[in-house]
Amino acid sequence: MPRTQMHTAVQPARKRKKHSVSYYVEQFIFILMAAFVLYPLFFVLLTSLKTNTDVILNPFGISTFEPMNYITAWYTGRVGSYLLNSVITTLVTLFFQMIIIVLASYAFGKLKPWGGGVLFSLLLMTMFVTSEMTTVPNYVTVRDMGLMGTRWSLIIPYTASGLTMGTYILTNYVRGLPKELDEAARIDGAGIFKILWNVDLPLITPALATLVIFNFNGVWSEFYWALIVIKDEALKTLPLGLINFQSQFTSDYGVLTAGLVILTVPVVIVYLFFSQYFIAGISAGAVKG
Amino acid sequence: MQRKPMKLETQRKILGYFFLIPIVVLLVVFMFYPIAKSIVMSFTNWSGMSDDWKWIGFNNYIRIFTDMPEYWRAMKVNVIYAIIATAVQLTLGFIMAVMVINMKPRWQNFYKVALYLPVIIPAAAISVMWRYIYTPEYGLINQFLRAIGLDSLCRAWTADPDTALGAVIVTNTWRYAGFTMVLYYVAMLDIPKDVLESAQIDGANRWQLIRYFYLPLTRGTTEVNLILTITGCLRAFDIFYLLTAGGPGTSTKVVSMWIMETAFQSYKYGRALAMSIVLFLIVVLTMLLFRFILAPREKE
């Protein structure tokens, strides 16, 4: 696994004393593009702190400060409950996913049972399956298991859906780990679980961090499956809840955007926190294959 | 390396099977079984609600190809969407990557994190945000147009058949351009710096660098980006469902919306499965087609 790619590129030594006109044009275009990306986010944040009159009269600035929007969103809009559901669902899913992925990658990358290679390729094939193919039968499976109306109707299928890509990435990492450490630990009399826990787990932490953020994002944002299986208001996750919320506060832009901010902030925090791993993960072959 | 005792090796292999139990069980139940079942049940008239169904052969498929103009109308929306969105997204993503990679490291870090931000924002949040931006009365765009005196251009962006698809494309570009950019950026990190530098010393300008280095040397990434974006567009659901709900009328109704309606509102699971499989095959064929078109020249 090429770890070197994780680091920022060395800047091409290119010192210009005088910038040409085209340089400034380029910079201007780029700032415009960056503004196109970032301004809507800023706009939403700004709107979430304004009174509705201010939203209408003064769309681009801010002359009032209305933190009450957040309180209304939290209680009247039930965002608190949606948030809690999203947090529980996401954490439990990630917990199961990571255990299963670590075990599987360790088996594929280190223990190498007979037929492991064939099984590995077989599992990889599921990466190309579209959700349309599995949604309907999974709905029936989950219903027949009696999971409808419980959180497990989300957690179990979510856990299954994030496994293949994760196992693929982590197996590649595990294969690249130095064998000498294992050998040394084994000679010192450490058992397999001890080696896994004390020697290898610390080594795969960066890769695991990448997976956490990939999968966190997937589960936290998931909408299609939740829309189909969750009918109970008390179990709705944030993405789903926000749709209700939208019809409830159609023209109350302050509250609506406050709900948006609450939905978005956790993902942004996790992303910023792990962002160096995230970009690294992409370069480490997540998508480059 | 010394030879390990056979017994320990065998033990490890057997333990390997135990480690694989959870993943195999979950994938069999939620991936392999549903795929098999999808294929089988697409040949039945199953409603999904009862266990009462019978074989109807290829009827579901025949119907899709002969008597389901709405499916193909939706497919047309998907295809137009895929072509425009992919072209815009790849162009923008590539340009941004070239610009970011030539910045000082600190700015590189800032932009690659900032421009990727929309990718991680949940679709539900994106759609609510953009619906608000597109709102006729108080939305950002119309407010802006009024502020610069172009009132005549104001319209209900997502409710006007002429602009609804365009509105979705703009939102989609906003959402994913950063993704395309990061993939290109990562590929460009692999281009040896001394090659670029010596080209510059030889007097190559920016466009020549792009033409002869950045573009050809990121060909593999272009392929990945093309395939990911096009197949993503053909399967698109959330952003359409949330932004326009297929409207106005059925002008932005995409295939996966029809599938969902057929399955969960009309309770025609068998038919919905056949529709899914046709879509799946179209997606896979598109993917293979692009691999085929793009692959041979990669071996230069």
Side-chain angles (χ1 to χ4, degrees):
Chain A
M1 195 74 7
R3 293 283 180 87
T4 46
Q5 292 172 353
M6 287 193 185
H7 306 294
T8 326
V10 183
Q11 175 66 11
R14 192 167 59 91
K15 281 194 182 130
R16 290 194 192 175
K17 279 158 208 113
K18 236 168 63 184
H19 292 308
S20 58
V21 180
S22 72
Y23 173 84
Y24 287 108
V25 173
E26 252 175 46
Q27 292 303 311
F28 178 72
I29 294 171
F30 193 74
I31 289 167
L32 221 59
M33 281 200 271
F36 170 68
V37 171
L38 294 177
Y39 186 72
L41 295 174
F42 174 72
F43 180 68
V44 164
L45 192 65
L46 200 68
T47 307
S48 74
L49 290 166
K50 302 202 284 195
T51 60
N52 225 21
T53 346
D54 198 19
V55 170
I56 290 158
L57 293 178
N58 185 15
F60 304 110
I62 183 165
S63 57
T64 51
F65 180 66
E66 187 56 285
M68 269 303 284
N69 286 336
Y70 282 85
I71 301 187
T72 315
W74 189 268
Y75 292 106
T76 321
R78 300 179 57 101
V79 167
S81 148
Y82 300 143
L83 183 73
L84 187 70
N85 286 332
S86 272
V87 169
I88 294 173
T89 308
T90 308
L91 288 184
V92 177
T93 303
L94 283 179
F95 176 76
F96 285 132
Q97 274 181 346
M98 291 308 135
I99 291 178
I100 296 169
I101 290 173
V102 167
L103 288 178
S105 315
Y106 199 73
F108 284 131
K110 277 266 157 75
L111 304 176
K112 299 188 175 142
W114 299 284
V118 178
L119 193 61
F120 188 62
S121 346
L122 210 61
L123 295 191
L124 285 194
M125 276 167 46
T126 62
M127 273 204 283
F128 301 106
V129 174
T130 55
S131 60
E132 292 87 20
M133 292 271 293
T134 53
T135 305
V136 175
N138 278 348
Y139 179 83
V140 180
T141 305
V142 166
R143 192 188 61 192
D144 291 349
M145 284 172 147
L147 300 176
M148 283 302 169
T150 71
R151 277 182 217 293
W152 297 105
S153 64
L154 291 179
I155 292 170
I156 297 177
Y158 282 174
T159 304
S161 70
L163 293 179
T164 314
M165 179 69 102
T167 306
Y168 173 63
I169 296 174
L170 204 63
T171 301
N172 283 339
Y173 256 83
V174 170
R175 277 183 185 150
L177 293 180
K179 292 192 173 57
E180 293 75 16
L181 286 173
D182 277 26
E183 300 288 335
R186 210 186 306 171
I187 289 162
D188 288 346
I192 276 177
F193 287 100
K194 205 164 177 193
I195 296 175
L196 172 58
W197 186 259
N198 289 333
V199 180
D200 290 323
L201 205 56
L203 291 176
I204 56 174
T205 315
L208 217 50
T210 309
L211 295 188
V212 167
I213 187 172
F214 266 123
N215 287 6
F216 173 88
N217 191 25
V219 178
W220 185 265
S221 311
E222 206 288 331
F223 174 74
Y224 185 68
W225 175 256
L227 180 69
I228 294 168
V229 295
I230 297 294
K231 302 288 174 228
D232 189 351
E233 189 63 28
L235 289 176
K236 281 186 176 165
T237 52
L238 264 177
L240 207 50
L242 203 67
I243 306 306
N244 281 5
F245 191 70
Q246 191 182 14
S247 44
Q248 195 182 343
F249 295 97
T250 326
S251 53
D252 203 342
Y253 297 109
V255 182
L256 192 61
T257 46
L260 272 183
V261 173
I262 298 172
L263 171 63
T264 312
V265 159
V267 212
V268 173
I269 290 174
V270 172
Y271 171 64
L272 292 179
F273 197 70
F274 287 104
S275 64
Q276 91 235 38
Y277 293 118
F278 201 51
I279 309 283
I282 294 172
S283 67
V287 191
K288 260 162 87 181
Chain B
M1 199 183 291
Q2 76 272 46
R3 189 112 192 108
K4 285 145 271 169
M6 198 58 207
K7 219 173 156 192
L8 186 67
E9 201 52 38
T10 312
Q11 250 178 20
R12 281 165 62 90
K13 285 187 189 299
I14 290 169
L15 189 67
Y17 288 119
F18 281 100
F19 279 17
L20 290 175
I21 289 173
I23 194 170
V24 169
V25 168
L26 275 172
L27 290 186
V28 165
V29 174
F30 289 102
M31 286 280 179
F32 291 104
Y33 165 73
I35 293 164
K37 186 167 178 181
S38 280
I39 295 170
V40 171
M41 295 311 267
S42 70
F43 295 100
T44 70
N45 66 350
W46 190 35
S47 76
M49 288 296 108
S50 66
D51 290 329
D52 188 28
W53 52 267
K54 60 176 194 287
W55 299 104
I56 55 167
F58 279 92
N59 275 5
N60 285 329
Y61 291 93
I62 292 168
R63 199 180 163 133
I64 292 172
F65 286 100
T66 58
D67 189 25
M68 209 183 273
E70 67 271 22
Y71 187 83
W72 299 104
R73 254 202 310 275
M75 191 63 83
K76 199 175 137 198
V77 176
N78 277 94
V79 169
I80 295 171
Y81 172 67
I83 292 170
I84 300 176
T86 306
V88 174
Q89 193 180 316
L90 258 69
T91 313
L92 272 182
F94 182 82
I95 294 173
M96 290 199 294
V98 172
M99 285 175 146
V100 170
I101 199 125
N102 284 299
M103 289 178 173
K104 293 187 176 65
R106 185 159 36 117
W107 287 109
Q108 286 192 26
N109 275 331
F110 170 73
Y111 277 119
K112 80 184 178 202
V113 170
L115 296 179
Y116 198 80
L117 207 54
V119 181
I120 59 149
I121 295 178
I126 288 178
S127 67
V128 174
M129 183 172 121
W130 279 88
R131 277 177 80 129
Y132 172 40
I133 289 172
Y134 290 135
T135 305
E137 281 298 300
Y138 308 115
L140 183 61
I141 294 179
N142 283 355
Q143 296 263 29
F144 180 74
L145 288 174
R146 277 185 216 113
I148 58 170
L150 291 170
D151 302 46
S152 56
L153 290 178
C154 290
R155 51 173 83 214
W157 299 95
T158 53
D160 184 328
D162 292 337
T163 56
L165 188 60
V168 177
I169 291 172
V170 168
T171 305
N172 184 68
T173 307
W174 180 82
R175 186 182 184 195
Y176 285 124
F179 179 74
T180 310
M181 183 214 78
V182 167
L183 289 193
Y184 272 124
Y185 172 83
V186 163
M188 286 171 190
L189 288 180
D190 284 349
I191 301 175
K193 294 289 169 291
D194 45 343
V195 172
L196 293 173
E197 274 166 41
S198 54
Q200 269 168 338
I201 290 165
D202 292 346
N205 63 30
R206 177 64 69 82
W207 290 114
Q208 284 165 329
L209 285 181
I210 291 175
R211 170 90 173 70
Y212 296 106
F213 294 96
Y214 287 118
L215 207 50
L217 291 175
T218 54
R219 205 189 173 87
T221 308
T222 303
E223 185 189 331
V224 170
N225 271 330
L226 258 179
I227 291 175
L228 285 178
T229 314
I230 289 185
T231 54
C233 288
L234 290 178
R235 295 160 48 188
F237 173 78
D238 55 4
I239 209 79
F240 279 93
Y241 181 83
L242 295 166
L243 209 57
T244 64
T250 56
S251 61
T252 58
K253 198 155 198 167
V254 285
V255 174
S256 41
M257 246 180 242
W258 274 112
I259 294 175
M260 181 128 163
E261 266 178 30
T262 310
F264 298 100
Q265 282 168 29
S266 316
Y267 296 112
K268 294 191 165 73
Y269 273 41
R271 189 177 302 165
L273 287 170
M275 289 159 79
S276 298
I277 289 168
V278 171
L279 177 62
F280 173 71
L281 290 176
I282 290 173
V283 169
V284 170
L285 280 177
T286 312
M287 205 157 76
L288 291 177
L289 185 73
F290 274 96
R291 278 205 85 94
F292 182 73
I293 294 172
L294 292 159
R297 274 190 267 169
E298 215 185 345
K299 286 188 190 129
E300 285 173 321

